[in-house]
Structure formats: C-alpha cells, structure tokens
C-alpha cells in the first residue's frame, strides 16, 4: 500500500465540499490505490457542521480514507499538506460592490498564501476554487514567496466541462467524442470558450456546427451558465464544481491523455500576448505532475477580441487589490 497523501480543503462544510470530499475519499481524484488524509478547514462557526460531515465520511468506510482531521484555522490545517484545495471564500453580501468582494477575499487568500508558505509541504499543489478564483490565486501565490507560482492554479475546468457538455449535446455525441475545447481567461462572464481547435470525432468542430450558433448562443450560454443554474435551482453549481476540481487535480497529478488539451487557470508567462502576472486560463497538457501551455495555436481576430476583453478584466481586478499584494517575487522563481 502507498503512503497516504495529505489533502487540505477549505470551506469543507460548504455545498461543493459535500460532493467533493466523498469523491476524493473514494479515490476519484488521486487514483484508486492512493490512500488519503483529509485535513478539513472551516471558519469557527461552521465547525459543528464540519463534525457532522466527518461522521458521514467515516460512515462510508472508504478503504482509501486513512484519517480525517478538523481545523478552524489554516495554519494548522495546511500543516505538511501535499495538496491544498482552497474552496471556501466570502460570498457577495447585500450591498457589497465587486471591489469590496475582491478586497475581503484578498485578506482571506493572503492569510492562506502565508500559511501555505510556512506550513505546507514544499511541493504542495494548490487549486483555488473560491471566487473570484483567478485573482484569489494571484493573491495566495504572491503571499507564498517560498513556493513557485507554478504550484498554484485556479479552477476553470468547470467552464471547460460545461462547454464540452453543451457541444456534445448540440452534436448529438457524448463528451468522450470531443477533444481540445479551450477556455481562455477569467472564471467570469468575460471568459472565452474557444471551439476553433476543438474536435468532434477527430474532425474540426467548427466544420460541424453553425458559426452563428457558436457566436450567438454557445459562447454567452457557457459564460452565463453559473447564473442560469442559480436561476433554475435556487442554488449555485456544487456537484459539477466538485467534479471539475477532481478532473483538474487528476490531470495535473496524473497527466492528460496523449494529445489532449485541457483548460487551467495559471500565472501568465506572456504566452499568446497575455500580460504577465495575472492568473489566466490557458490550454495546457500535463505530464509527470506538471502542466505546460500548448503553444502555436492560431488566434483569429474574433478570438483575439475575446482574449483581450477577459485579460482587461483580470488586469482591472489586479489593480483593485494591488495595494494588498506583496512585492512581486515571481521573476526570482518563475516556472
Ligand atoms: P458555500 O457557501 O456552500 O460554502 C463555502 C464554505 O466556505 C462555507 O462553509 C464557509 O463557512 C466556508 N468559508 C468561508 N470563508 C472561509 C475561510 N476563510 N476559511 C475556511 N472556510 C471558509 O459555497 P460553495 O457553493 O461550496 O462554493 C464555494 C466557493 O466556490 C464560492 O466562492 C463559489 O463562488 C466558488 N465557486 C467557484 C467555481 C469555479 O469554477 N471557480 C464554481 C462554483 C463555485
């Protein structure tokens, strides 16, 4: 039996984690032969709910679930963790402006970045889900100078999976028959779901769909899918977000299929003309626990317009929290 890995999860008593933690314990994320230790973190007010969740996890008697520990602070919760899933975040309250939301979360993610820096395993891999995910990832990584920014990603896999599901439904195929969807940019309505490199049954997707459907229906629907679900369910996406976290971490740690492209929010290194220093969703392939941007894809004028719009939004978000960012050390240890 392999040695267990330590997985720290914030927001553990929330809706996403009520799906996510059972998947992890069942071996869906790290593999069916990898025991896990779950280090679950919540705010003090949610510790009782977290205790109930831990009981349920125990009651599933998962063969791969080694230990569960509960924490009301990130400094203990991140101790020696190999993976950190930052799911918890402050939601937007009544009368709160977008800039207030960015600032309040900036404080939370700054503290989490520092705690990862001081207490996590040196090779920790961090996935930020809590919104605004891209900018929260930037804040956490900038507060962890001992860790490489390449150890941080943010979740855009849900958008990727949504796009794949919608295209599959439109073409009357299953998601397995579709490859190389790309989500560019921010996990927000400015994201750009790009089908110009996608394939359906191995053939170019754009040759099999109507351009006007793609531009006028598909793109806005993927961009606004989160709101569409809230409107229908009265609750935000939780199970699909949990699946996306599992998929992104699974690819990052165990690799992507040969030739397959997936989307991941990572620190821009200037590829495709995107300004350095923002977390931006790029097309990547993963191997041996590392991701690499897929270079050389053709960007037409339509795509460039969308890439620029989402880049500008991320630069604006960064400007709002700039005063809370420690000095940029990325050049000293960039990937
Ligand atoms: P939720 O409100 O059900 O749960 C969030 C949990 O986080 C709560 O239990 C809360 O007590 C906890 N929490 C808040 N601040 C914390 C802190 N500083 N440390 C530890 N725990 C903390 O929300 P849900 O549905 O689970 O979503 C979580 C986050 O994920 C939200 O920010 C949501 O907007 C975001 N999200 C992101 C997606 C993406 O694709 N990037 C997709 C879906 C949701």
């Amino acid at each position: 039996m392999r040695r267990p890995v330590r997985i720290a999860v914030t927001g553990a008593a929330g809706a996403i984690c009520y799906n996510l933690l059972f998947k992890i314990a069942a071996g869906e994320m790290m593999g069916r032969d990898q025991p896990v230790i779950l280090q679950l973190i919540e705010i003090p007010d949610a510790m009782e709910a977290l205790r109930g969740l831990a009981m349920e996890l125990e009651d599933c008697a998962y063969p791969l679930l080694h230990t569960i520990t509960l924490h009301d602070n990130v400094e203990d919760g991140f101790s020696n963790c190999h993976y950190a899933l930052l799911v918890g975040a402050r939601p937007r309250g009544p009368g709160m402006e977008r800039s207030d939301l960015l600032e309040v979360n900036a404080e939370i993610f700054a503290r989490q970045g520092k705690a990862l820096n001081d207490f996590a395993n040196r090779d920790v891999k961090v996935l930020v889900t809590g919104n605004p995910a891209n900018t929260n990832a930037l804040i956490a990584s900038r507060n962890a100078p001992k860790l490489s920014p390449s150890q941080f990603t943010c979740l855009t896999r849900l958008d990727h999976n949504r796009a794949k599901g919608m295209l599959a439904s439109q073409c009357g195929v299953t998601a397995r028959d579709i490859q190389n969807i790309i989500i560019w940019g921010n996990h927000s309505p400015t994201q750009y779901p790009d089908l110009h490199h996608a394939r359906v049954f191995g053939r170019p997707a754009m040759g099999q769909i109507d351009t006007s459907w793609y531009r006028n229906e598909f793109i806005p629907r993927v961009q606004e899918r989160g709101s569409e679900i809230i409107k229908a369910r009265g609750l935000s996406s939780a199970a699909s977000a949990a699946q996306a976290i599992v998929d992104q971490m699974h690819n990052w740690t165990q690799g992507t299929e040969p030739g397959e492209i997936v989307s991941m929010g990572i620190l821009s290194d200037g590829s495709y003309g995107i300004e350095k220093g923002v977390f931006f969703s790029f097309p990547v392939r993963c191997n041996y626990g590392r991701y690499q941007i897929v270079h050389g894809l053709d960007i037409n004028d339509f795509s460039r317009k969308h890439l620029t719009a989402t880049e500008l939004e991320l630069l604006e978000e960064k400007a709002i929290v700039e005063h809370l960012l420690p000095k940029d050390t990325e050049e000293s240890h960039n990937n």
Side-chain angles (χ1 to χ4, degrees), residues 264-276:
M264 242 189 223
I266 57 175
L267 186 70
S268 172
D269 63 355
S271 294
Y272 291 99
I274 301 303
E275 194 161 314
K276 287 183 185 181

Side-chain angles (χ1 to χ4, degrees), residues 9-17 41-43 46 74 86-91 105 108 112 128-133 136 154-159 162 187 236-238 241 244:
V9 187
T10 70
I16 292 177
C17 288
I41 305 161
E42 259 297 346
I43 55 172
V74 283
L86 311 189
V87 182
R90 182 81 70 79
N105 278 299
I108 293 173
Q112 296 188 353
V128 177
T129 297
N131 278 321
N136 289 341
C154 67
L155 187 73
T156 53
R157 184 57 172 266
L158 178 55
D159 309 296
R162 283 168 171 166
H187 169 69
S236 69
S237 326

Side-chain angles (χ1 to χ4, degrees), residues 192-215:
Y192 173 47
D194 182 1
L195 293 186
H196 291 93
H197 312 281
R199 304 186 88 77
V200 181
F201 279 130
R203 289 183 294 119
M206 290 305 278
Q208 301 178 61
I209 53 169
D210 184 49
T211 305
S212 130
W213 173 81
Y214 168 58
R215 293 187 176 189

